[in-house]
């Protein structure tokens, strides 16, 4: 039994590796699955490649059959509780039961009210079910998706790029380029992992950004996030935002809750707020920022606009402090990734959460 437990732990580690192969963006979770024969051998693997494609369990079962392996009596080791609903694909629970899988080991309970209940359904069919295996690791892989399902709103990352003295532009308004080409390419790679990018109308009018995710050679990444402009002023017809890239969405509001609600309705799981200082401040004041990416260049200006507008903080005791999760050297610049320590998150009923498909 001890040997069997160890083999399942190794298989779960592999399933977590497989999960990361799935897209970081989109309405569905990143899930991996490993099928173990009764003697502990791995007979098949699978992962979910995105909405409309087979779920990890179905992909692993298909791989087993394609190789001539019989999944009857096998153990399915999967990073998320198998779903019990029909979306674009059938329930994974039914596929596992029909295949004769004898045991299911999973990491994270499914918080999606429409898809949950898979463990109960499997157990009712006589399948041995164990949950919570490598739960913390599974939660880390699924943190964006889990956040969206549990709160009913997108996970919000605020990105800033500043000088050492916290400026985002010089006194004359020029801002290209504060950070290095390496930092900008790093930011483009991150853009390709999110569902939507947001800027304020001021940034749209002054900077005329394209808001695209680009590859190292300057081409468009295959995944282009929604381009969201927040504010009441219209985007000029000749703006680069009307060019190639993701769909342009204009939200005529300054209400952060309304922005997040409209994006949740569009199945946005991860929102990257890129500018400008007033929009960043609005999200920070609302308590809905989950993560900050700060690119800091070894440059001094001494004057010019700050990265974040007024937060209404008058005392150092009331400063919004961050837990530093990562520090990375990117070319000559630094990337600091932090999470606000003092945050009040507005939580909506799970029924408002985007659907899994």
């Amino acid at each position: 039994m001890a040997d069997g437990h160890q083999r399942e732990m190794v298989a779960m580690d592999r399933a977590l590796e497989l999960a990361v192969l799935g897209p970081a963006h989109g309405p569905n979770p990143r899930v991996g699955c490993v099928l173990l024969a009764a003697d502990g051998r791995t007979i098949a693997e699978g992962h979910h490649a995105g909405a409309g494609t087979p779920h990890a369990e179905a992909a692993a079962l298909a791989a087993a059959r394609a190789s001539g392996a019989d999944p009857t009596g096998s153990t399915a080791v999967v990073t998320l509780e198998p779903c019990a609903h029909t979306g674009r694909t059938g329930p994974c629970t039914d596929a596992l039961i029909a295949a004769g899988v004898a045991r299911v080991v999973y990491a994270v309970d499914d918080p999606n009210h429409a898809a949950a209940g898979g463990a109960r359904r499997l157990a009712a069919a006589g399948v041995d079910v164990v949950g919570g295996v490598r739960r913390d690791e599974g939660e880390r892989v699924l943190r964006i998706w889990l956040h969206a399902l549990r709160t009913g709103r997108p996970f919000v990352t605020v990105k800033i790029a500043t000088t050492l003295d916290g400026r985002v532009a010089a006194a004359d308004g020029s801002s290209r380029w504060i950070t290095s080409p390496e930092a900008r390419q790093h930011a483009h790679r991150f853009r390709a992992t999110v569902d939507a990018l947001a800027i304020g109308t001021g940034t749209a009018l002054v900077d005329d950004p394209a808001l695209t995710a680009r590859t190292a050679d300057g081409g468009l990444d295959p995944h282009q996030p929604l381009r969201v402009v927040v504010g009441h002023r219209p985007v000029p017809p000749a703006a680069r935002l009307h060019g190639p890239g993701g769909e342009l969405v204009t939200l005529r509001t300054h209400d952060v809750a309304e922005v997040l609600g409209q994006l949740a309705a569009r199945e946005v799981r991860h929102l990257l707020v890129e500018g400008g200082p007033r929009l960043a401040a609005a999200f920070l004041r609302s308590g809905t920022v989950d993560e900050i990416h700060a690119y800091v260049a070894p440059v001094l200006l001494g004057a010019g606009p700050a990265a974040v507008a007024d937060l209404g903080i008058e005392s150092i005791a009331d400063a919004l402090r961050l837990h530093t999760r990562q520090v990375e050297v990117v070319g000559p610049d630094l990337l600091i990734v932090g999470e606000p320590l003092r945050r009040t998150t507005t939580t909506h009923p799970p029924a408002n959460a985007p659907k899994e498909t």
Side-chain angles (χ1 to χ4, degrees):
M1 184 64 181
D3 287 346
H5 174 75
Q6 183 59 35
R7 285 193 291 266
E8 290 177 356
M9 295 302 100
V10 171
M12 182 61 78
D13 290 340
R14 174 57 181 161
L16 290 164
E17 292 175 353
L18 292 167
V20 176
L21 298 177
H25 52 81
N28 284 9
R30 304 166 91 183
V31 184
C33 179
V34 174
L35 291 180
L36 299 177
D39 61 4
R41 291 179 298 107
T42 295
I43 58 175
E45 299 178 342
H47 73 276
H48 181 52
T53 67
H55 289 187
E57 301 93 322
L61 290 170
R65 295 187 182 102
S67 69
D70 184 358
T72 302
S74 65
T75 295
V77 179
V78 61
T79 56
L80 180 68
E81 177 186 6
C83 68
H85 85 301
T86 299
R88 297 185 198 179
T89 60
C92 293
T93 49
D94 290 2
L96 293 167
I97 292 166
V101 170
R103 179 175 167 88
V104 171
V105 176
Y106 69 90
V108 179
D109 291 329
D110 194 334
N112 187 342
H113 73 285
R120 291 192 302 272
R121 190 161 173 174
L122 289 165
V127 177
D128 185 23
V129 182
V130 178
V133 176
R134 296 275 198 267
R135 179 185 288 112
D136 290 347
E137 293 87 341
E139 292 256 351
R140 281 195 288 272
V141 170
L142 290 165
R143 71 189 186 106
I144 303 295
W145 182 81
L146 288 171
H147 178 280
L149 267 292
R150 289 168 176 168
T151 68
R153 68 162 178 84
F155 185 96
V156 176
T157 298
V158 167
K159 176 213 151 186
I160 57 177
T162 74
T163 62
L164 277 178
D165 51 348
R167 311 293 177 176
V168 293
D172 66 358
S174 60
S175 60
R176 296 185 178 179
W177 295 102
I178 286 174
T179 54
S180 64
E182 294 91 338
R184 297 197 297 275
Q185 184 53 45
H186 189 281
H188 274 283
R189 289 197 299 271
F190 188 72
R191 280 181 175 183
T193 71
V194 305
D195 300 301
L197 304 170
I199 59 172
T201 52
T203 299
L205 294 171
V206 172
D207 291 349
D208 190 25
L211 278 193
T212 53
R214 294 194 173 272
T215 57
D217 62 4
L220 290 176
D221 189 273
H223 168 67
Q224 291 297 316
L226 293 178
R227 297 179 286 186
V228 181
V229 179
V230 179
H232 295 289
R233 289 177 287 180
V235 177
R240 296 172 68 207
L241 285 166
H242 293 295
E247 177 188 352
L248 176 60
V249 178
T250 56
L251 300 179
R252 303 294 181 88
T253 181
H254 291 136
D255 186 329
V256 169
E258 184 177 348
V259 170
L260 293 175
Q262 290 197 43
L263 293 179
R266 287 176 169 267
E267 297 189 328
V268 169
R269 304 289 200 209
H270 193 176
L271 171 65
L272 176 58
V273 178
E274 291 220 353
R278 287 192 295 274
L279 187 64
F283 273 87
L284 287 164
R285 285 196 305 269
S286 74
T288 57
V289 174
D290 303 293
E291 180 179 81
I292 295 175
H293 285 203
Y295 293 89
V296 183
V299 175
L300 293 170
L301 285 172
V308 178
D310 183 14
L311 293 176
I313 295 171
E314 297 183 355
S315 167
I316 193 68
D318 295 326
L320 176 58
R321 298 186 182 273
L322 308 180
H323 164 67
T324 302
R325 202 178 74 239
Q326 175 187 344
V327 177
E328 181 179 348
V329 177
V330 184
D333 307 321
L334 284 181
L335 168 63
I336 302 171
V337 178
E339 300 167 351
L341 290 175
R342 182 164 55 84
R343 183 174 74 233
T344 55
T345 300
T346 301
T347 301
H348 304 284
N352 290 346
K355 299 186 294 296
E356 178 185 349
T357 55

